[in-house]
Structures are given as structure tokens and as C-alpha cells.
Amino acid sequence: MLPAPGAAVRLLPRTLTAQTPDPVGAIRIALEAYDGPAPRSAIIAVATRVDAPAIRLTNAHWVIDAKAIGQALDLERVTLVNDYTPVAASVTVLDETKGDLAPIGSFPAAKPGARVVLGPGTGLGAGALVPVEDRLAILATEAGHMEFGPTNDEETAIWPHLERVGGRVSGEVVLSGPGLFRIARALAAHRGVDCPFRIPNDVLAAAREGDALANDALSHFARFLGRFAGDLALTFESSGGVFIAGGIAPRMVDILQAGDFREAFDRKAPHDGWARKVPVYAIVNPEPALEGLAAIVSNPQRFVFQSQGWQAT
């Protein structure tokens, strides 16, 4: 909740999508903990392509209907954006000196230019922040669904064991919570051993206990993430930096900083010299999307981005 432009963000209780049949119910639950003036408008970031004022989430059963939300909550307007639109905006306000960002590798100071954000979590989100004259264009993408493949003999050996989704191995298939689990199972199958893990969190927990299979899975994950992030850096000429968000990166910053990530990121011949100069950070601020939404609402003229929505007449 943002009481006024420039005010501090007020965090409201979280509600799982499985707990209510629709977003209106979840918003009502959140507002029960809010004692301020009734909200006048809403901007909602959703994890799917935003191409209509009513859209279905990719990884959940909700339909996000701007008109239904607006009328149910007596709002003046409702704006829908891709979930990586505010994450991209957040990098304009997050600050390394305040502990919001953790550097990955060594690099010179950032140069003006495009910035890329991506994040493995339930899925794999990605977007870019591109300066255009005196404004910043936010490009939400579905880059996580691009095809992804092996680059060395070890990766080629495990690839037949990777679970396909829709018959494909995309970036999201390996670079997400479920993706980390898939990597661990593929490594176990290739080695002819049982995979003891049942959920993605088991892999992270086992790695902290020194489990060899879990550590190898995380090393592969870090290398894959570095390669994918470097490819996006090339795609957008992101001399302004690459920022890793999502629910997984803050929990494995030390692993990302260990070297495999940055080595894969920099291996971009004939542009490896350029890649080594690109700043890369893990976003460790717990709420970058909310910080980004607040930045957009507080200074809407600064940003240009795709959206859908509804407005009361």
C-alpha cells in the first residue's frame, strides 16, 4: 500500500492464490490489516503476458480482471502490468550501500545504458529498462521461454534425463525452483543413483549440509543462470548492469559469487571483453516489486511501459 506519492510503502499480509478463488478475495484479506483511507486505485503486477484487461495467470488458477476488481473495491482505476515491469523499475531506487544489492564478480563502475532484470522463482521472469531521451522504457519479456541447451560434454550427458515441459527445455525449465529440482534429478539419473530430494527447497537445504549431489546441482544452476543472464546482456546491450531477482538468488548469493556464474556470464566470445565490464548484482532487498511499483506510482512520467486496465466512467 502506498498512502501517497513518495511515502513509504506499507506492507500488507500475503495471501496464497490457493487460499481464495479470485484476487478480489485476496485483496480484501490484505486490506483487513490496513487502517488508512480507502484506496483509490490499484496497479497490479501479474506473472504472465499482459495483453488484455482480463488475463489468466501462467502458474496459478486466478483470472485477473481489472474491471471486476475495480468495481468490487470501488476504485477509480485498475492497471495491470507484467510482474517484471516493477522489478525493472526497482533498480532505479535500490542501493548497494543500503544493502539492497550484492555484487557478483568484479567489474568497473556502471556506464549509462540499458539494464536487464531477471529472476528464477516459481518461473523465470525477465525484463529490461532502456533509456529513451529523458524517460525509461520498461520492456517486459517472455525470455524465460526461449530454448535452452547444453554447451559441453557433461551437460550433454545429463540433457536426455531432464524433464521436458511442453516437449521443450526452455530457460524456465532449468532456471526456476522446479528447474533446480529437475537438474538434481537429471544428475542423479545420469549417475545411476537415487535422488533423495522431493521439493526444490530440499536441494538448497542439502547443499548447506554438504551433500555432493545438491552442491553439483547448484553449481550447474549457477552456471546456467550466468549463461542465460549473459545472453540477455548481449541482447539488450545492457552496459548499465544486470540484476538477478526472484526467490532463489537471495538464498544462494555466496554460490553465485563463487565463480561459476560469472565465468559463464563472461564467456561471450567475441564479446567476452565487453561482458566482463558489465556489472551484475543479486537483488537481496526482500520486496523489489513493491519498491518498483512505488517508484512508478510516485513518478509516472519517468517510465513508459505496456499495460492494460480499466477506469471508472
Side-chain angles (χ1 to χ4, degrees), residues 142-167:
E142 293 296 331
H145 297 288
M146 296 190 300
E147 208 79 22
F148 196 82
T151 62
N152 59 37
D153 291 344
E154 182 182 23
E155 293 173 8
T156 299
I158 70 169
W159 228 251
H161 302 288
L162 274 172
E163 175 190 358
R164 268 61 177 168
V165 176

Side-chain angles (χ1 to χ4, degrees), residues 105-120:
S106 300
F107 43 79
K111 295 181 179 180
R115 285 168 277 185
V116 161
V117 294
L118 68 152

